């Protein structure tokens, strides 16, 4: 399809294990965002990629979290040594991006992470 | 710090009632404003947006929002809600000082009684 896709849709992991979450943005979208949505909470910004620029990592909650975007397309969010408080839905969004972009973000279905 | 406040955490209405969901942002410069909706079991989707021009913006499914700069508000309205409007609604904004980041509010859960 033409939308943002994320995998896996659900992930259950044991505390202390590492996880990788994947996002495939809409083709041609240069901006890519990761958010976290905890139960009863709004969207918490994690990281933003725009083209070849250095990513805005200001929202990453700890150094256990990292993300990369290879070839300006697919992105992977990695959480090392997972903790129970990492349990949330992780959302990816993409947009045309840039200062001249329209700013409208298209969201993927999310990955529900449960840390036991 | 830039932020968005959605004062209503959970709103319960009967069908055909009028709706207004509050949204206030904290930033003194130029902003782009958005309302997103998340229906049960579905992913977030854009309801409407304001970039410039007419401060009264019309979106999908009969929703509209009015940007009042003096009040730093962008309230969402619908004259007559339907059961299918049951969803979570998120207000968001992007400032001219941080074109990359869109800041979301904590959301308002809307429940419509049939």
């Amino acid at each position: 399809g033409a939308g943002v896709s994320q995998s896996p849709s659900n992930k259950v992991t044991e505390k202390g294990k590492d996880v990788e979450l994947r996002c495939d943005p809409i083709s041609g979208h240069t901006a890519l965002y990761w958010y976290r949505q905890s139960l009863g909470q709004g969207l918490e910004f994690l990281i933003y990629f725009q083209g070849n620029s250095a990513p805005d990592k200001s929202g990453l909650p700890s150094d256990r979290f990292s993300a990369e975007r290879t070839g300006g397309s697919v992105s992977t969010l990695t959480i090392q040594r997972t903790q129970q408080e990492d349990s949330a839905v992780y959302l990816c969004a993409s947009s045309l991006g840039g200062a001249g972009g329209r700013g409208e973000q298209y969201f993927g279905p999310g990955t529900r992470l449960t840390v036991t | 710090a830039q932020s968005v406040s959605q004062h209503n955490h959970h709103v319960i209405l009967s069908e055909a009632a009028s709706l207004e969901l509050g949204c206030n942002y904290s930033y003194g410069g130029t902003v782009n404003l958005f309302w997103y909706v998340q229906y049960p079991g579905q992913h977030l989707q854009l309801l409407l947006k304001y970039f410039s021009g007419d401060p009264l913006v019309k979106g999908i499914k009969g929703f509209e929002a009015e940007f009042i700069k003096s009040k730093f508000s962008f309230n969402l309205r619908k004259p007559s809600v339907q059961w299918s409007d049951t969803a979570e609604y998120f207000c968001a904004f992007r400032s001219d000082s941080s074109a990359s980041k869109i800041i979301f509010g904590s959301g308002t859960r809307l429940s419509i009684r049939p």
Side-chain angles (χ1 to χ4, degrees):
Chain A
V4 178
S5 61
Q6 292 185 245
S7 61
S9 55
N10 280 284
K11 176 72 177 177
V12 180
T13 190
E14 293 179 354
K15 178 181 172 181
K17 295 284 180 69
D18 298 351
V19 295
E20 283 189 352
L21 312 180
R22 178 188 168 105
C23 172
D24 281 89
I26 292 173
S27 178
H29 280 190
T30 59
L32 186 147
Y33 305 76
W34 282 99
Y35 294 90
R36 179 168 69 176
Q37 186 177 23
S38 303
L39 188 63
Q41 303 294 316
L43 275 72
E44 176 188 5
F45 167 80
L46 296 176
I47 189 169
Y48 160 80
F49 295 91
Q50 170 54 47
N52 296 320
S53 302
D56 178 355
K57 304 179 183 180
S58 60
L60 294 178
S62 76
D63 58 7
R64 296 187 295 105
F65 287 73
S66 63
E68 62 177 23
R69 189 178 184 192
T70 55
S73 181
V74 171
S75 177
T76 302
L77 177 69
T78 301
I79 308 174
Q80 295 178 310
R81 305 181 303 281
T82 52
Q83 303 294 312
Q84 288 187 328
E85 60 263 28
D86 299 334
S87 296
V89 176
Y90 289 82
L91 293 169
C92 176
S94 71
S95 73
L96 287 173
R102 299 299 288 170
E104 177 178 345
Q105 298 184 347
Y106 295 82
F107 283 83
T111 293
R112 182 176 297 279
L113 175 67
T114 303
V115 181
T116 61
Chain B
Q2 297 176 8
S3 65
V4 178
S5 296
Q6 292 184 246
H7 311 294
N8 314 106
H9 298 293
H10 189 192
V11 173
I12 303 173
L13 296 172
S14 297
E15 277 193 302
S18 64
L19 169 72
E20 181 160 2
L21 301 183
C23 172
N24 288 89
Y25 64 93
S26 60
Y27 180 70
T30 301
V31 294
N32 301 146
L33 295 154
F34 308 86
W35 275 98
Y36 282 85
V37 61
Q38 188 170 28
Y39 297 104
Q42 297 186 27
H43 55 83
L44 275 163
Q45 56 186 284
L46 184 69
L47 198 56
L48 50 78
K49 62 189 178 191
Y50 169 81
F51 280 80
S52 62
D54 189 345
L56 184 62
V57 179
K58 295 191 183 297
I60 60 172
K61 304 186 179 184
F63 285 91
E64 64 178 32
E66 185 174 11
F67 170 46
I68 303 179
K69 189 173 182 179
S70 61
K71 294 185 178 180
F72 301 92
S73 70
F74 190 56
N75 292 356
L76 181 69
R77 300 194 294 250
K78 185 171 183 178
S80 176
V81 294
Q82 301 172 302
W83 179 79
S84 59
D85 293 325
T86 296
E88 186 126 21
Y89 293 80
F90 294 90
C91 182
F93 86 101
R94 182 182 71 165
S95 73
D96 59 358
S97 71
S98 180
S100 61
K101 190 181 298 184
I102 295 183
I103 298 171
F104 283 80
S106 58
T108 297
R109 185 156 66 100
L110 176 63
S111 299
I112 305 299
R113 291 190 292 251

